[in-house]
Amino acid sequence: MSDHGVDPRTYAPQDQLSVWALVDPDNPVLVGEVRLSQLVADCATFAYAATWWNFPLSEDLPLIAGQDFSAGERGSAPGALDDARPDRWGERIIRQVDQPARLSILEMLLFAGDGRFGALGVSVSADHYAPRIVGPYPHLSDLAQLDQAIEGVQLQTPITGDMQRLLQHGVSLGGARPKALLHTKDGPCIIKFSELDDPVDTPLIEHATMTLAASAGIHVASTDTLPLAARHTKARHALTIQRFDRMGNLRLHCISAKTALRAARLPESYSALATILLRLGHPDRQNAMREELFKRMVFNILMDNTDDHERNHCLCLGFDGYYTLAPAFDVVPTLQNLGYQAMTVGQYGAESSLENALSKLSEFGIKKPRAQTLIREVARTVDQWQLHFTQHGVCQADMEQLAASIDRDALKLQRQAFC
């Protein structure tokens, strides 16, 4: 990988950047160029390089020489490039820490940096990979300082040199929650923190939720927790998530469900995503992946995770050329008692009910007896959530708030019907 790169202090805005594939980071390959649209304000267009014939980045970016692609929307990039943008927290870091001379969609793509999710990189040069310069990842010994830096960003305190060093970019899936990159003995990972106004210890609860999902037979990203200094006498934690978009030194090309569904012109629903898995997955893995997706939908309903939007589901391109449903991530009760999911569940729209989950089984390729068996596996696991969360150290005050959502009649009676 090239040592040349972009420093935000000296960066001069450019209307054209280069997109690189970093499947092997030591051997970047030019994919194409991204430009600012002349028709739509703050919108990116993309065209493949004549030398790129490896794979289409997404179905709405077919390999057509000389074709200019555009999402046609302000603040957007076409196809899979939109997943290379920073999430809302990453944008906040760029605005407050990097403070580049311009803040268009191109800067958001460039300053997301080399550690971004997936295998794409953005460079100021088409001759060599020249991304935004980043230093070494923080280590566990930096955790206390990193926690303070995260808090400083939330409080909008003046940016110090230490904050610039610690607040690495890179995560582009997940949303607005504070996060950073961290190096552990197991390699680089994502680390997530609570927001200052969180009523509960969200990172610890997310770890308990993810491990509960694993107990239900759901494939989840590997998580752990790190203790932080108490605030107002209450214990706090950070959550670490091992990167599933990395395989040793190699990187996997990934797309969000939002990108996959938009590319196929399908609605943002679980059943439509099941159809995507049928089309893009390996024939030997399609049935298992669609059953997995069904179980995740049921788990989200029963655990009151109503923030299960299409960017919280992801597909990874394997080296066999087929897409695989990525491990579940960002799974945590939202404590809002909304009664509807972020994605459409079935014929009753986004209604958070198992009846709704059973209403479009044909899209999942699942017969009703099998679906009832899968629901039973999840429901019996969720019914033990209080014991599981207590064993993972969730405090009594947080348990009471969780119970008000997870054990309210609307959900508890549904799960107990299958226990």
Side-chain angles (χ1 to χ4, degrees):
M1 186 179 297
S2 172
D3 291 330
H4 304 291
V6 176
D7 188 324
R9 295 169 295 183
T10 59
Y11 167 76
Q14 301 180 47
D15 292 344
Q16 174 183 331
L17 298 171
S18 296
V19 179
W20 293 74
L22 306 172
V23 177
D24 178 358
D26 293 328
N27 295 287
V29 179
L30 182 66
V31 178
E33 67 178 25
V34 59
R35 296 174 176 264
L36 277 180
S37 171
Q38 299 299 305
L39 301 175
V40 181
D42 195 22
C43 175
T45 66
F46 171 74
Y48 285 107
T51 53
W52 177 263
W53 291 100
N54 300 57
F55 56 86
L57 300 185
S58 52
E59 284 192 293
D60 53 352
L61 297 177
L63 291 171
I64 302 175
Q67 175 72 48
D68 282 326
F69 298 95
S70 172
E73 300 174 5
R74 186 182 182 92
S76 68
L81 284 180
D82 212 48
D83 292 325
R85 290 169 39 188
D87 58 21
R88 282 176 290 168
W89 175 259
E91 287 191 1
R92 189 171 180 178
I93 295 297
I94 291 170
R95 293 176 188 276
Q96 291 183 227
V97 179
D98 282 340
Q99 300 179 351
R102 186 180 68 183
L103 287 168
S104 77
I105 180 64
L106 293 197
E107 279 70 44
M108 292 303 171
L109 285 167
L110 176 63
F111 283 86
D114 183 61
R116 83 186 71 221
F117 191 81
L120 296 181
V122 178
S123 162
V124 293
S125 172
D127 297 322
H128 60 273
Y129 180 52
R132 182 227 188 271
I133 296 173
V134 295
Y137 288 179
H139 286 70
L140 286 175
S141 58
D142 298 309
L143 181 59
Q145 287 180 287
L146 180 58
D147 181 35
Q148 292 174 1
I150 292 285
E151 183 173 317
V153 171
Q154 295 183 78
L155 294 173
Q156 297 187 337
T157 59
I159 302 300
T160 67
D162 272 345
M163 290 173 71
Q164 291 179 322
R165 175 180 68 86
L166 294 168
L167 293 170
Q168 300 281 5
H169 310 66
V171 185
S172 53
L173 293 177
R177 191 161 292 280
K179 60 183 73 70
L181 299 176
L182 183 74
H183 191 85
T184 69
K185 59 181 177 60
D186 297 319
C189 69
I190 299 162
I191 181 167
K192 296 174 69 174
F193 298 82
S194 288
E195 296 190 53
L196 292 178
D197 59 354
D198 275 357
V200 295
D201 189 349
T202 303
L204 180 61
I205 290 170
E206 183 170 345
H207 175 59
T209 308
M210 294 275 282
T211 52
L212 183 69
S215 298
I218 294 170
H219 183 38
V220 302
S222 178
T223 61
D224 206 346
T225 56
L226 297 170
L228 300 174
R231 180 180 291 129
H232 306 305
T233 72
K234 185 174 181 180
R236 296 188 305 130
H237 296 81
L239 175 77
T240 60
I241 309 170
Q242 293 302 315
R243 300 192 64 156
F244 53 81
D245 61 330
R246 301 294 191 256
M247 186 177 293
N249 190 46
L250 303 179
R251 304 183 183 184
L252 299 178
H253 177 61
C254 300
I255 58 174
S256 67
K258 181 179 181 67
T259 290
L261 292 167
R262 183 179 57 193
R265 298 183 179 180
L266 290 174
E268 293 172 353
S269 71
Y270 278 99
S271 59
L273 184 53
T275 299
I276 292 289
L277 295 174
L278 182 64
R279 293 174 54 227
L280 301 183
H282 190 284
D284 293 343
R285 299 192 293 268
Q286 292 167 354
N287 290 340
M289 287 193 296
R290 289 193 290 168
E291 284 196 357
E292 165 81 11
L293 180 63
F294 180 79
K295 291 180 72 172
R296 292 185 193 183
M297 177 176 66
V298 170
F299 185 84
N300 287 336
I301 290 171
L302 294 181
M303 285 298 294
D304 194 45
N305 175 29
T306 54
D307 193 35
D308 54 339
H309 57 81
E310 62 281 359
R311 284 198 184 276
N312 278 344
H313 303 273
C314 177
L315 306 177
C316 296
L317 181 62
F319 296 115
D320 59 1
Y322 291 95
Y323 279 93
T324 300
L325 183 64
F329 60 96
D330 210 357
V331 180
V332 63
T334 48
L335 305 180
Q336 291 181 288
N337 302 1
L338 295 177
Y340 54 86
Q341 304 302 122
M343 286 177 63
T344 297
V345 172
Q347 69 181 53
Y348 306 117
E351 178 186 287
S352 303
S353 71
L354 297 182
E355 180 184 3
N356 200 17
L358 288 165
S359 67
K360 287 200 172 182
L361 291 179
S362 61
E363 305 291 335
F364 292 88
I366 305 173
K367 299 295 185 183
K368 190 169 184 178
R370 176 59 178 165
Q372 291 173 327
T373 297
L374 296 175
I375 291 176
R376 195 171 296 114
E377 291 174 4
V378 174
R380 287 175 174 172
T381 301
V382 171
D383 205 45
Q384 302 298 313
W385 77 268
Q386 290 209 28
L387 174 62
H388 183 88
F389 277 42
T390 299
Q391 290 174 339
H392 280 74
V394 179
C395 71
Q396 184 59 37
D398 288 358
M399 291 291 292
E400 290 174 3
Q401 292 200 54
L402 289 160
S405 288
I406 302 167
D407 281 348
R408 71 185 195 273
D409 285 350
L411 295 184
K412 187 175 183 178
L413 294 177
Q414 288 194 71
R415 75 171 189 254
Q416 290 187 340
F418 281 87
C419 288

